[in-house]
Each structure stands twice: as structure tokens, then as C-alpha cells.
Amino acid sequence: MSVVGIDVGFQSCYIAVARSGGIETIANEYSDRCTPDFIETLIVVQFQIITNFKNTVHGFKKFHGRTFDDPFVQAEKPKLPYSLHKLANGSTGIQVRYLDDDKVFTVEQITGMLLSKLKETSEGALKKPVVDCVISVPSFFTDAERRSVFDASQIAGLNCLRLINDTTAVALAYGIYKQDLPAPEERPRNVVFVDMGHSSFQVSIAAFNKGKLKVLATAFDPYLGGRNLDEVLVDYFCEEFKGKYKLNVRENPRALLRLHQECEKLKKLMSANSSNLPLNIECFMNDIDVSSRMNRGQFEEMSSQYLMRVEAPLRAVLEQSKLSRDDVYAVEIVGGATRIPAIKERISRFFCKDISTTLNADEAVARGCALQCA
Ligand code: ATP
Ligand code: MG
């Protein structure tokens, strides 16, 4: 039976499996290797987030192991199109419409549904039952948070052999294909791994010899990721549209969600293009079409409070490892948000090194998980 590796990201999930020919990433039924973290009462379909937004649950990864009264949960609550409830044991419940009824699920049940979906996808692709898996979690997850993810895997009928840290998975994925690592008695090769996803920023330094990997240090900013930058754009356009079109976008959850999606697209376009780019949304609210523009320079200026936060974890990881910049052989980046030029620049400037992109930025975590038990 195959062991699959699962990366449950805040925004997207990836599944990989180790086979005799190497590591393979598994595609879902839409031939997409990435499955979004949206649960619409058991159906994972991204376009439904707009048509059926009150029932589409997303952004729940960080509710694992947290009580309803946790300040993070309380801060997220007003931003969500679905409602949260306090469960009898104090934990966070998520309300969705299920078979024509409002029903409150635990976060373990919701992630359990997502994992069952991923289990099914893997079984479809591998044409055999899948039970054993390795799941990655952020390195900053507490024991309670890990326990909660583990419980979700059991609800999905999976046997989670191990939960590993995202950054450890990335290091494993790096080590496996490197044929030229130093021999065991030689000085190890030190590599920095930087992962910025949708919701968090993680950094680690690992020392490699042939057949040996030691994680020397890890650091993070659990609340810094691509979504902060989407919010910067959303805030800006909400203000602009208030003046220009007299629209109060924040009062209309559906319009707000559409604006979020358009801003994320714009953010990605700005990574590839520094000129002025348009933002146009037809029939946005009250039958009004809205349009505006933005360029990378403006975006960077507006995002400075977040860009400033990139350096602290880099400094922390270097200090913890007791290495100097000269001891670092390479700086490898993964995670969607590391595609942003201003983020890459800051990482490169800090380590005084060009950054490497040896690893597949999206799939490295899942591949590392698949390797853990291969
Ligand atoms: P997390 O690791 O925080 O749980 P995740 O693993 O789901 O989240 P990733 O898939 O690594 O996150 O990254 C998603 C983020 O990367 C999103 O914010 C997305 O908008 C952003 N992103 C992806 N491609 C680009 C790009 N070309 N330019 C800018 N941002 C991008
Ligand atoms: Mg991730």
C-alpha cells in the first residue's frame, strides 16, 4: 500500500506519493495538482465560493487546537463569510448548511472532509486504497494544534504515520535529489529554506551530508503571508470605491469576496510586471462596473509594514544556528508568496546571496512528506 504525503496549506493542498521511479505529485479530478482548501458541504469546487459563499468554508487551518475565545479566532471572525460558534468544550465550531439544515461542525470534521476528499483523489489516481499518510504542519503549531490535525486525519479514515514540520519536509525534498552532498566525515553543507505561503512565513537552516540531514534552527512569523498583501489591496480599493462610486463594499460580503479574488490576481500579475495594471470588475455592486489601476511600486509602498517583517525571522534563524552568512551554501525559497519580487529581494539582500529555486515552490512540502516514509 502506498504512503501519501499531504501538504494542507492555508489556501491550497498538495498530495505526493513516492514510487519506484521517484516522487510524483497527484492531480485531482480537474487534472490540477493543487486542490483549494474550500469545503462546500463535501464538494470542493472553487467557483462556488462566489455563488454559494455562506456555505463555502475556507481559511480554517489556523482554527485547529484553538478555543473560540482565542484572540486570533475572534480577529478572524468578522472577516469570514460563514459563522463561527463556541462549542460546549470551548473550541471553535464552523456553521455550514448541510442537507438543508444549519449544522455546526468542529474544525477536525471540516479538515476531515478535506482530507477524505484528498484521500479519494489519491485513490483515484493510484487506483488502489490509500490509508497511510504523512501530513505536514507549520513548525510553530503547538501540541494541541497538532493533535487536532491528527484527529482530523482519523475522521478521514487515514492512518497518519507522522506529522512533520513544513520546513523539515522542504529540507527532505531538497536532500533527496542532491547527488553532490559532502561525505559524512566532511563539513556539512548548510542550506537556508524560506517558505512564505498564504498565511505564514517559516524559515529553517539545515545541515546536509550524504544520507544525513540535521535541522539546525527554525524561525517564523505565524501571521505573515500572501493574504496580508491581498488585504492591503482590498483596503485600498474599498477606500477608493467609497469615494469614486459611493460604494460601501464592506457591507456586501459577496462583493468583498469578489474584490479579494481580483486583488489576489492583481497581486500575482504585479510579480511579473512592474507597469500599471488594470483592475476591472463588471456588475460589482448595485449594477455598477468598477475599474482602477495599480503598479508594483505603489503596491510595495503600501505593503511596507509587512515587507519590513520579512527580516526578523531570517535574523533569528541565523542567530539560533550560530552560523555566519558565509557558512550558508544556498538560500532556497518555496511557497507562493516568495514569488513577490520585493520579498525575494529582501531575502537575497539579508543573506548577501542570490536565491535558489531548485525546489518546486508549490509541491516541495508534499514531496518531502511523501519521502519521509518512503
Ligand atoms: P500556508 O503555507 O500559509 O498554510 P499555503 O501553503 O496554502 O499557505 P502557498 O500555496 O504556498 O500557501 O502560497 C499561496 C500564496 O502565494 C497566496 O497568497 C498566493 O496569492 C501567493 N502567490 C502565488 N503565486 C504568486 C505570485 N506569482 N505572486 C505573488 N503571490 C503569489
Ligand atoms: Mg504552505
Side-chain angles (χ1 to χ4, degrees):
M1 211 155 46
S2 309
V3 180
V4 295
I6 307 178
D7 168 15
V8 187
F10 192 90
Q11 185 177 56
S12 326
C13 301
Y14 289 86
I15 326 166
V17 63
R19 301 228 241 196
S20 51
I23 306 284
E24 232 171 83
T25 308
I26 296 175
N28 64 18
E29 65 272 37
Y30 311 106
S31 302
D32 194 343
R33 290 143 76 106
C34 153
T35 300
D37 268 31
F38 299 133
I39 291 294
E40 202 266 335
T41 42
L42 300 179
I43 315 166
V44 188
V45 186
Q46 185 159 16
F47 67 81
Q48 277 171 325
I49 189 170
I50 291 297
T51 54
N52 198 1
F53 63 91
K54 279 192 188 139
N55 263 344
T56 311
V57 186
H58 64 102
F60 46 86
K61 170 171 168 176
K62 288 201 174 159
F63 298 148
H64 276 288
R66 290 187 193 253
T67 60
F68 178 76
D69 296 325
D70 185 295
F72 174 78
V73 176
Q74 287 305 311
E76 289 290 295
K77 209 165 146 255
K79 297 191 222 159
L80 300 168
Y82 53 89
S83 7
L84 297 181
H85 293 269
K86 188 171 184 167
L87 299 175
N89 65 359
S91 67
T92 308
I94 295 171
Q95 181 178 319
V96 278
R97 213 155 166 84
Y98 183 71
L99 305 175
D100 284 336
D101 241 345
D102 282 332
K103 196 167 175 343
V104 177
F105 291 98
T106 63
V107 65
E108 290 81 9
Q109 285 173 317
I110 297 281
T111 298
M113 290 179 204
L114 177 64
L115 289 171
S116 331
K117 171 75 198 161
L118 297 173
K119 178 177 187 285
E120 239 174 66
T121 300
S122 326
E123 288 173 339
L126 300 172
K127 307 210 168 24
K128 55 184 170 186
V130 167
V131 177
D132 294 336
C133 67
V134 173
I135 302 176
S136 68
V137 289
S139 46
F140 52 82
F141 258 27
T142 61
D143 282 346
E145 288 161 8
R146 286 165 200 262
R147 176 84 232 163
S148 169
V149 174
F150 185 80
D151 289 348
S153 71
Q154 290 192 315
I155 291 174
L158 287 164
N159 175 32
C160 180
L161 301 172
R162 195 176 291 185
L163 291 172
I164 64 172
N165 289 345
D166 289 339
T167 43
T168 306
V170 173
L172 279 166
Y174 174 88
I176 197 79
Y177 290 117
K178 291 284 171 195
Q179 299 299 325
D180 57 344
L181 293 175
E185 66 285 359
E186 285 174 345
R187 269 165 63 101
R189 176 188 294 183
N190 304 308
V191 181
V192 175
F193 296 98
V194 182
D195 176 357
M196 192 185 286
H198 193 50
S199 69
S200 61
F201 180 42
Q202 307 182 61
V203 193
S204 70
I205 300 190
F208 292 89
N209 292 92
K210 252 190 190 66
K212 193 174 146 210
L213 151 64
K214 187 172 178 220
V215 177
L216 302 178
T218 41
F220 33 75
D221 184 332
Y223 302 110
L224 178 64
R227 72 186 195 129
N228 298 107
L229 304 175
D230 297 346
E231 274 164 23
V232 164
L233 293 171
V234 168
D235 284 346
Y236 174 85
F237 289 116
C238 277
E239 260 324 289
E240 182 179 314
F241 296 162
K242 196 179 275 168
K244 196 164 157 189
Y245 302 105
K246 307 278 172 283
L247 291 176
N248 191 350
V249 184
R250 298 222 173 261
E251 273 176 4
N252 183 330
R254 191 189 160 105
L256 189 61
L257 216 53
R258 269 184 88 191
L259 183 60
H260 254 282
Q261 292 192 333
E262 292 304 320
C263 286
E264 191 187 0
K265 278 190 215 156
L266 177 65
K267 174 187 72 175
K268 290 181 182 174
L269 286 174
M270 286 192 285
S271 295
N273 197 326
S274 61
S275 57
N276 270 332
L277 295 171
L279 176 109
N280 297 314
I281 316 177
E282 279 179 26
C283 283
F284 178 57
M285 244 178 98
N286 312 344
D287 283 337
I288 296 175
D289 300 341
V290 294
S291 73
S292 185
R293 48 184 47 233
M294 168 78 56
N295 65 46
R296 191 194 284 169
Q298 275 173 290
F299 176 49
E300 288 178 0
E301 219 175 287
M302 288 171 2
S303 313
S304 61
Q305 52 162 327
Y306 295 114
L307 297 175
M308 262 163 54
R309 281 164 57 183
V310 170
E311 196 179 306
L314 306 178
R315 189 173 296 285
V317 87
L318 199 61
E319 276 169 12
Q320 263 179 54
S321 71
K322 307 214 164 42
L323 297 178
S324 75
R325 286 176 173 81
D326 292 340
D327 299 324
V328 173
Y329 174 87
V331 180
E332 294 282 344
I333 54 166
V334 298
T338 59
R339 296 192 175 103
I340 296 171
I343 300 214
K344 278 202 262 201
E345 260 162 49
R346 276 171 173 71
I347 300 168
S348 167
R349 205 186 311 145
F350 180 82
F351 288 105
C352 309
K353 249 188 192 57
D354 286 341
I355 44 187
S356 325
T357 49
T358 307
L359 293 160
N360 180 313
D362 299 312
E363 299 173 6
V365 173
R367 287 165 164 268
C369 289
L371 278 167
Q372 172 72 56
C373 286

